[in-house]
């Protein structure tokens, strides 16, 4: 309630590592994502006199766009992967191409575009780790090839058909 009263964390403030400090030490940490997605599992935090709330800067921001339910920027904690990100953004839309995910990543003063086959990663038992600044694109299912309707008379004259 106090965070809401003061306008919440700033745009650059962490939503995943909110700290309650007491006597100069971290007394308790609070992850706002956990509260948003599993409010019944979060206990109440009570403040004492002279406690203060410290909101550090965000550390690992990943952007996701395309055929997902809630595109945007999300903060990931160490060890969280694409699977966690998909949970935060509400998962795939029905027309999402779920086989290949494209990641734009900044490496050593250059931009690289990486395509990851999710079926292959799953078969290997691997997870896609994301890094600060990554941009994930979930594409639309490719349109099927359109077949042209030929007249029956044309089919009979086509030398390639028997």
């Amino acid at each position: 309630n106090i965070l809401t009263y003061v306008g919440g964390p700033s745009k650059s403030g962490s939503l995943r590592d909110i700290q309650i400090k007491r006597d100069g030490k971290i007394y308790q940490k609070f992850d706002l994502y956990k509260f948003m997605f599993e409010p019944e599992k979060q206990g109440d935090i009570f403040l004492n006199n002279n406690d203060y709330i410290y909101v550090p800067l965000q550390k690992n921001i990943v952007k996701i766009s395309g055929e997902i339910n809630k595109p945007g920027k999300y903060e990931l904690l160490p060890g969280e992967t694409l699977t966690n990100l998909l949970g935060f953004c509400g998962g795939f839309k029905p027309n999402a191409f779920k086989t290949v995910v494209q990641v734009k990543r900044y490496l050593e003063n250059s931009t690289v575009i990486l395509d990851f086959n999710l079926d292959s990663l799953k078969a290997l038992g691997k997870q896609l780790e994301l890094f600060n600044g990554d941009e994930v694109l979930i594409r639309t299912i490719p349109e099927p090839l359109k077949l042209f309707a030929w007249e029956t008379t044309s089919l009979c004259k086509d030398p390639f058909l028997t």
Side-chain angles (χ1 to χ4, degrees):
N1 289 336
I2 286 179
L3 279 174
T4 303
Y5 179 75
V6 297
S10 68
K11 287 184 179 183
S12 61
S14 176
L15 299 176
R16 309 293 312 275
D17 187 27
I18 299 169
Q19 302 170 10
I20 310 300
K21 293 198 171 190
R22 181 174 293 164
D23 297 325
K25 296 178 183 166
I26 297 173
Y27 168 70
Q28 196 166 1
K29 288 187 175 189
F30 183 71
D31 183 347
L32 197 55
Y33 281 23
K34 285 184 181 178
F35 179 74
M36 290 187 307
F37 295 108
E38 299 175 340
E40 66 280 351
K41 292 186 179 179
Q42 303 303 307
D44 291 331
I45 298 174
F46 296 99
L47 299 175
N48 291 341
N49 285 334
N50 298 319
D51 284 355
Y52 60 97
I53 299 171
Y54 172 68
V55 181
L57 293 174
Q58 297 173 345
K59 293 181 181 128
N60 191 22
I61 303 301
V62 175
K63 180 180 178 183
I64 186 165
S65 60
E67 301 307 316
I68 42 109
N69 290 309
K70 292 185 271 184
K73 293 181 179 180
Y74 294 88
E75 183 179 5
L76 298 182
L77 295 176
E80 289 184 329
T81 63
L82 177 66
T83 303
N84 300 104
L85 179 63
L86 288 171
F88 299 146
C89 71
F92 295 110
K93 286 183 178 179
N95 62 336
F97 186 55
K98 300 173 191 164
T99 303
V100 177
V101 170
Q102 187 176 81
V103 176
K104 181 167 124 180
R105 183 169 287 166
Y106 302 100
L107 290 173
E108 300 176 13
N109 294 319
S110 63
T111 304
V112 294
I113 304 294
L114 306 164
D115 285 335
F116 292 96
N117 186 309
L118 297 182
D119 293 337
S120 296
L121 288 174
K122 187 176 181 179
L124 293 170
K126 302 283 184 181
Q127 290 284 328
L128 177 54
E129 183 180 359
L130 299 169
F131 300 101
N132 189 37
D134 281 356
E135 295 179 25
V136 178
L137 174 63
I138 307 297
R139 296 186 202 128
T140 304
I141 296 171
E143 292 290 326
L145 294 175
K146 294 182 181 177
L147 299 176
F148 295 99
W150 291 10
E151 294 180 27
T152 309
T153 56
S154 298
L155 287 175
C156 296
K157 295 178 184 177
D158 193 319
F160 298 107
L161 298 176
T162 56

